[in-house]
Amino acid sequence: MKKDKNRTVSIRDIQDSRDIPDGTKDKTDGVQDTAGNDRQNGEAFSTTLFDDVFRTVVEEFPELLVALINEVFGTDYPRDVKVVQLRNEHMEPGGKIITDCALMIEGCCYHAECQSTGDKNMIIRMAAYDMAIALDGPYRQAAGREQARYRIRFPKSCVMYIRDDGSIPQELEMDIEFADGFVYPYRVPAVNVQKYTKEEIFEKQLIVFLPYYVLRYEKQIKEMEGRENPDADQAGGGSAGGLKGCVPAPAGGDG
C-alpha cells in the first residue's frame, strides 16, 4: 500500500523503517546485521564491531568527543572541560528510543549519532531523538517549582558517518510545519569520517575517528580475503580472515 508522505511519523514507523524488533537497541545502521550480512553487502567488517567501539568511547572516554564537538560546531572547548553524560534511554508511547550520545558541556546540550552508511530516514530519526532529548529539559527545570513557563530547547546534533558510500551529504534537512502554519527548516550537520586524513585526525585531536580509519581499506581487504580463501563466504569467514592476511605471524609460531 502506498504511504502518504505527509502522514504523521511515529516511533513505530522509525522502527519499521529499519526492520528493528520492539525492545531492540536503536543504534548505528546495521546493528541487526550479522557478519554474514555485512559480507553480502561487500563489507569486510561487521558494523556491530564499530557500534560497540563508539558505545565504549561514549561510556568510558566521553572527553574524546569534545574535539568532535569543536570540529562540527566551531566551539573551542579545552580538552579537560567538564563533560556531563545525559541519559540515552527515553520512553515514548510508541516504544523506547535509545540515542548513541547525549552530552552537556557548559550548559549546552549536544547529541551525536554514529551511522554506518547513508539512510534516507536518518533525518526523521534525528528529529525523534532530538525531541526526546529536548523534553528532558523542561522536566529538569520544573523540579521543585509549582509554576514555570517551559521552553523546549533542541540539542546541537550531528551524525557521524563511518563509511563513505558516496551518498553522504554535508547536512541532513527536512521541514517541520507547526499548527499555525509556521515552517521551520530542521538541519543536522553530517560528518564524513573517511574524508579526514590521518594528519588531520591527529592535528585536530579527533581520536574518536581512529577506530574507523581502517574502513577506507575495506574493499582491498575484502578482495585480499577472496583471493586467499575463495570459500570464505560459504565457510563463514569474516573480517578476521581479512585481517589475518594483513598481520604477520609471530616469530617462531605456526603461522
Side-chain angles (χ1 to χ4, degrees):
M1 185 176 76
K2 186 177 180 180
K3 295 184 177 179
D4 181 359
K5 64 179 181 180
N6 294 320
R7 72 185 180 87
T8 301
V9 178
S10 67
I11 303 305
R12 172 71 67 179
D13 294 322
I14 298 173
Q15 291 177 331
D16 290 345
S17 70
R18 306 180 64 243
D19 296 323
I20 297 179
D22 291 338
T24 303
K25 285 192 175 183
D26 188 3
K27 287 294 184 180
T28 58
D29 177 50
V31 169
Q32 299 304 310
D33 290 346
T34 62
N37 288 336
D38 286 327
R39 290 195 303 276
Q40 291 173 6
N41 293 330
E43 299 172 354
F45 301 96
S46 170
T47 304
T48 55
L49 169 65
F50 296 106
D51 181 62
D52 291 340
V53 169
F54 188 73
R55 187 183 303 115
T56 299
V57 169
V58 171
E59 294 178 355
E60 303 295 336
F61 309 101
E63 64 275 9
L64 295 181
L65 297 170
V66 174
L68 172 64
I69 291 171
N70 286 339
E71 174 71 8
V72 177
F73 300 106
T75 51
D76 191 26
Y77 295 122
R79 293 180 60 183
D80 59 352
V81 68
K82 183 178 180 180
V83 178
V84 178
Q85 296 191 56
L86 304 179
R87 69 189 184 99
N88 67 338
E89 294 190 8
H90 308 272
M91 294 304 301
E92 299 291 331
K96 181 188 295 185
I97 292 181
I98 301 182
T99 60
D100 281 340
C101 170
L103 305 172
M104 185 75 74
I105 300 179
E106 295 185 352
C108 189
C109 182
Y110 296 94
H111 165 221
E113 292 292 322
C114 182
Q115 182 77 1
S116 175
T117 55
D119 177 359
K120 63 181 180 180
N121 293 321
M122 190 63 196
I123 187 62
I124 300 176
R125 290 165 50 200
M126 290 301 292
Y129 297 157
D130 282 353
M131 177 58 78
I133 293 171
L135 288 175
D136 276 348
Y139 284 115
R140 288 195 301 271
Q141 297 169 15
R145 298 168 60 182
E146 295 182 0
Q147 295 181 345
R149 180 181 177 87
Y150 299 134
R151 170 174 292 190
I152 296 177
R153 179 178 296 171
F154 270 48
K156 293 184 177 181
S157 299
C158 68
V159 180
M160 190 179 82
Y161 288 93
I162 63 174
R163 284 186 171 97
D164 186 359
D165 61 358
S167 67
I168 309 304
Q170 290 188 338
E171 66 177 7
L172 311 177
E173 56 183 352
M174 67 181 290
D175 292 327
I176 299 177
E177 182 174 350
F178 291 86
D180 60 0
F182 178 77
V183 177
Y184 179 81
Y186 170 71
R187 299 185 179 95
V188 175
V191 183
N192 188 338
V193 172
Q194 300 306 323
K195 293 293 186 181
Y196 288 78
T197 65
K198 60 180 180 295
E199 290 79 14
E200 289 176 317
I201 290 175
F202 284 105
E203 178 184 350
K204 298 183 177 183
Q205 300 180 1
L206 294 167
I207 308 304
V208 70
F209 288 0
L210 280 181
Y212 313 110
Y213 190 83
V214 69
L215 289 175
R216 66 192 61 200
Y217 304 111
E218 191 169 26
K219 182 178 179 180
Q220 294 92 318
I221 292 174
K222 178 69 176 178
E223 293 174 349
M224 181 185 299
E225 181 184 55
R227 289 195 301 268
E228 294 184 353
N229 186 5
D231 299 325
D233 288 340
Q234 289 81 4
S239 58
L243 288 174
K244 184 177 180 180
C246 300
V247 180
D254 295 334

